[in-house]
Amino acid sequence: MAQVKVYGLKENLNPVKERFSEIIHSCIVEAFKLPIDKRFHRFFSMDQEDFYYASGRTEAYTIIEISIFEGRSVDSKKQLIRLLFENIHNHLHISPQDLEITIFETPKSNWGIRGFPGDELQLNYNVNV
């Protein structure tokens, strides 16, 4: 399970949302070995007056927050981060300087999915990668 939130300026994010989702999903599938049908992405297209960022960033500045079950190795999380920086830069031309990624990892018991606590779900994939 990976829940993804993407924040960016409306005029920059809206035209590329579908491609952005494809890139993020392919990186998560590769790094975490998730099944291809496990895509849960939300985009928050912000107005300029609602989205503040530090100097040295451009209007392409984008924040990606990924919530996952605990259990992934440090190496798989680093691989995901590297894949995201590389693929987003190569396909959307967003500089790594304009991209911030945070992975939030919580116990399965903190999730509620399909009527069950997450630690009671039967998963068809391994979390410990």
Side-chain angles (χ1 to χ4, degrees):
M1 173 64 72
Q3 292 279 348
V4 180
K5 297 177 187 174
V6 181
Y7 302 86
L9 287 175
K10 182 187 308 184
E11 55 272 9
N12 293 10
L13 191 55
N14 283 347
V16 297
K17 280 193 287 194
E18 184 174 345
R19 185 68 181 124
F20 223 129
S21 180
E22 292 167 4
I23 293 165
I24 291 169
H25 188 61
S26 69
C27 293
I28 290 174
V29 167
E30 182 175 342
F32 290 167
K33 312 299 185 232
L34 284 182
I36 197 79
D37 64 332
K38 299 292 182 189
R39 184 189 311 205
F40 302 96
H41 300 171
R42 293 175 307 282
F43 288 84
F44 297 87
S45 301
M46 311 290 291
D47 291 323
Q48 182 76 48
E49 63 268 13
D50 296 324
F51 194 56
Y52 295 91
Y53 46 87
S55 63
R57 307 305 192 279
T58 72
E59 291 184 352
Y61 177 68
T62 305
I63 299 169
I64 300 173
E65 296 178 349
I66 304 167
S67 297
I68 59 172
F69 293 156
E70 67 182 353
R72 272 68 177 210
S73 68
V74 170
D75 287 341
S76 69
K77 291 181 278 190
K78 286 183 177 185
Q79 178 188 13
L80 174 59
I81 290 168
R82 289 184 181 104
L83 285 169
L84 288 167
F85 278 128
E86 179 182 341
N87 284 292
I88 291 168
H89 178 70
N90 289 342
H91 297 286
L92 296 177
H93 310 292
I94 297 174
S95 164
Q97 182 70 21
D98 277 328
L99 191 60
E100 291 190 14
I101 302 161
T102 306
I103 298 173
F104 298 95
E105 190 175 27
T106 58
K108 290 183 203 176
S109 60
N110 288 4
W111 292 64
I113 301 170
R114 297 188 310 266
F116 294 97
D119 60 345
E120 296 177 13
L121 286 173
Q122 290 289 87
L123 301 175
N124 62 347
Y125 57 92
N126 186 9
V127 173
N128 298 316
V129 295

